[in-house]
Amino acid sequence: RVVGLPETQAEHPNLVLRPEALTLASYIAGVTEKIGIVTTVNTTYSDPFNVARATATADHLSGGRLAFNIVTGRDPEAAANFGRSEHWATDHRFDNAQEYIEIVKLLWDSWEDDALVGDKTSGAFIDTARVHRIDYQGEHFQVAGPLNVARPLQGQIPLLTAGASERSKEFGAQFAD
């Protein structure tokens, strides 16, 4: 969640202090070895390029133990934290999330598995033929790519959803692993 209203501390103390999830996941990756790490990202109030980059990085740091829980956010108060006058309606949030996840997956795939060569003799760091722009043009996002982090160790990081609405169930059926 991206809202922490002090006046809600009695009813929801866990929401008042809420560290940033991907940073925390990277820390946990560094101090553990054998557990899977699930981090939640709000697609309404984050950017797909930055999240693709952060999740790929966390997957590398964890040795391929990351999973990504997708939420679209339910707190109307969050809008004011991101320069918006109102919280988007459910359909708008899920239309946005659909493009968002398509972009994240394309960005993870913008590096082929063997793109990182690190050849000291030739001076080639990457094989440029194995790193690709995505040139995504959608209703909500335009993203050129490629990602500036090598493909996650898992290739595609597992995606989770836990919503209960019909739209959320449809979204989960389409994207969740």
Side-chain angles (χ1 to χ4, degrees), residues 20-23 25 37-41 55 58 66-70 160:
E20 195 282 313
L22 288 166
T23 303
I37 302 165
V38 178
T39 186
T40 299
V41 175
T55 52
L66 190 73
F68 171 10
N69 180 42
I70 306 158
L160 296 83

Side-chain angles (χ1 to χ4, degrees), residues 39-107:
T39 186
T40 299
V41 175
N42 185 322
T43 59
T44 302
Y45 297 112
S46 62
D47 178 80
F49 186 90
N50 284 335
V51 169
R53 185 174 180 225
T55 52
T57 300
D59 197 56
H60 283 283
L61 291 172
S62 71
R65 295 182 287 136
L66 190 73
F68 171 10
N69 180 42
I70 306 158
V71 299
T72 64
R74 63 177 186 187
D75 299 309
E77 297 88 354
N81 290 339
F82 293 87
R84 297 185 188 161
S85 59
E86 63 182 26
H87 185 61
W88 294 339
T90 299
D91 283 339
H92 188 166
R93 291 195 321 272
F94 278 99
D95 290 345
N96 178 78
Q98 182 164 345
E99 282 190 22
Y100 189 110
I101 297 304
E102 289 170 1
I103 292 165
V104 167
K105 291 173 72 110
L106 287 167
L107 287 166

Side-chain angles (χ1 to χ4, degrees), residues 5 8 11 16 19-20 29 44 52 64 66 90 116 118-119 128 139 146-147 157 169 174 176:
L5 302 173
T8 66
E11 50 193 291
V16 177
E20 195 282 313
T44 302
L66 190 73
T90 299
L116 190 60
D119 183 354
T128 58
E139 184 179 332
L147 196 59
I157 295 170
K169 290 176 187 176
Q174 182 176 3

Side-chain angles (χ1 to χ4, degrees), residues 154-174:
Q154 300 178 80
Q156 291 286 313
I157 295 170
L159 302 174
L160 296 83
T161 63
S165 72
E166 278 308 308
R167 186 71 195 267
S168 181
K169 290 176 187 176
E170 291 168 11
F171 182 83
Q174 182 176 3

Side-chain angles (χ1 to χ4, degrees), residues 92-135:
H92 188 166
R93 291 195 321 272
F94 278 99
D95 290 345
N96 178 78
Q98 182 164 345
E99 282 190 22
Y100 189 110
I101 297 304
E102 289 170 1
I103 292 165
V104 167
K105 291 173 72 110
L106 287 167
L107 287 166
W108 290 336
D109 282 342
S110 67
W111 283 62
E112 295 179 27
D113 288 333
D114 54 355
L116 190 60
V117 293
D119 183 354
K120 290 182 183 180
T121 305
S122 70
F125 182 62
I126 61 169
D127 180 342
T128 58
R130 298 187 183 283
V131 179
H132 314 281
R133 293 173 61 98
I134 66 168
D135 292 320

